[in-house]
Amino acid sequence: MAKISDIQPTPNPNSMRFVLKENLTNGESYSYDFGEHENEQINDIFKYDGVDNIFVMKNFVTITQDGSRKWDELLREVAVPIREMGDDVQEESKQIVQKEINDVRFTDIKNILDENVAPYLEGDGGGLSIDRIENDTVYINYVGACGSCSMGSTGTLYAIEGLIKRHYPEMSVDVINSPFF
């Protein structure tokens, strides 16, 4: 059973981050969109109106809602099934797996993002993965609170592109899942 140590707002007003006292994963991340899943713990959270996405990583769970609910009500509701989460949250889930990309720059760019960006996105209840590198464009995929946050298509995107350009001036960055493009 997971014990909630803190509930934190994220830069995305439709997402809240539940920090747990123990890890649910060993660093892997899992993202669940609204719908039926084989994992009953996840389905229990989706039973509450407005829940749009559940993101699980290490010792936190980020709940993203569609904006139709007030957080003071929804927090109390989803806290119950979050407390029931255990090791089996990883079973039958959609793990965010980094694709193999055949580009000599991939490993270096992934390391740049893992070291300089990922910790901050995790702190905000989200994350990212590289979807592909085509020509001189890196396509990224935001998950968790970052997946529907307007900052992902503005300030965060520009910061990521700036970091990559320091090493690869010819590169640009684009987001494949932003609702703001």
Side-chain angles (χ1 to χ4, degrees), residues 9-106:
T10 72
N12 180 346
N14 289 326
S15 296
M16 292 293 261
R17 182 175 185 252
F18 291 75
V19 181
L20 309 175
K21 291 188 177 183
E22 60 277 329
N23 287 346
L24 290 176
T25 75
N26 292 320
E28 305 90 2
S29 58
Y30 301 89
S31 183
Y32 305 86
D33 290 324
F34 179 78
E36 280 296 312
H37 298 274
E38 291 185 29
N39 186 306
E40 286 307 311
Q41 295 173 333
I42 296 302
N43 287 333
D44 287 346
I45 298 171
F46 279 122
K47 288 178 184 174
Y48 297 103
D49 290 336
V51 176
D52 206 28
N53 180 272
I54 302 165
F55 179 66
V56 180
M57 184 173 190
K58 296 179 186 170
N59 70 326
F60 69 89
V61 176
T62 300
I63 303 295
T64 301
Q65 63 145 315
D66 61 12
S68 66
R69 300 283 310 275
K70 293 186 180 194
W71 275 116
D72 58 344
E73 299 167 0
L74 190 55
L75 288 176
R76 284 191 295 273
E77 293 172 352
V78 299
V80 174
I82 288 173
R83 285 188 196 104
E84 299 297 319
M85 289 180 131
D87 294 337
D88 57 341
V89 73
Q90 299 174 32
E91 295 175 12
E92 304 300 331
S93 62
K94 178 184 170 189
Q95 182 177 357
I96 308 301
V97 178
Q98 181 59 67
K99 294 178 179 179
E100 283 295 319
I101 297 175
N102 294 324
D103 187 300
V104 294
R105 302 169 289 190
F106 168 72

Side-chain angles (χ1 to χ4, degrees), residues 105 108-113 116-117 130 133-138 140 156-174:
R105 302 169 289 190
D108 195 31
I109 291 170
K110 183 177 180 329
N111 288 339
I112 291 167
L113 296 177
N116 298 289
V117 179
I130 300 173
I133 298 174
E134 268 179 20
N135 302 319
D136 288 331
T137 302
V138 179
I140 60 172
T156 304
L157 180 63
Y158 299 133
I160 290 169
E161 188 169 66
L163 280 168
I164 292 172
K165 280 186 175 290
R166 286 185 202 157
H167 300 271
Y168 300 99
E170 74 282 5
M171 300 294 289
S172 64
V173 179
D174 203 353

Side-chain angles (χ1 to χ4, degrees), residues 119-132:
Y120 298 101
L121 297 182
E122 289 171 19
D124 287 341
L128 66 79
S129 64
I130 300 173
D131 182 71
R132 66 187 182 277

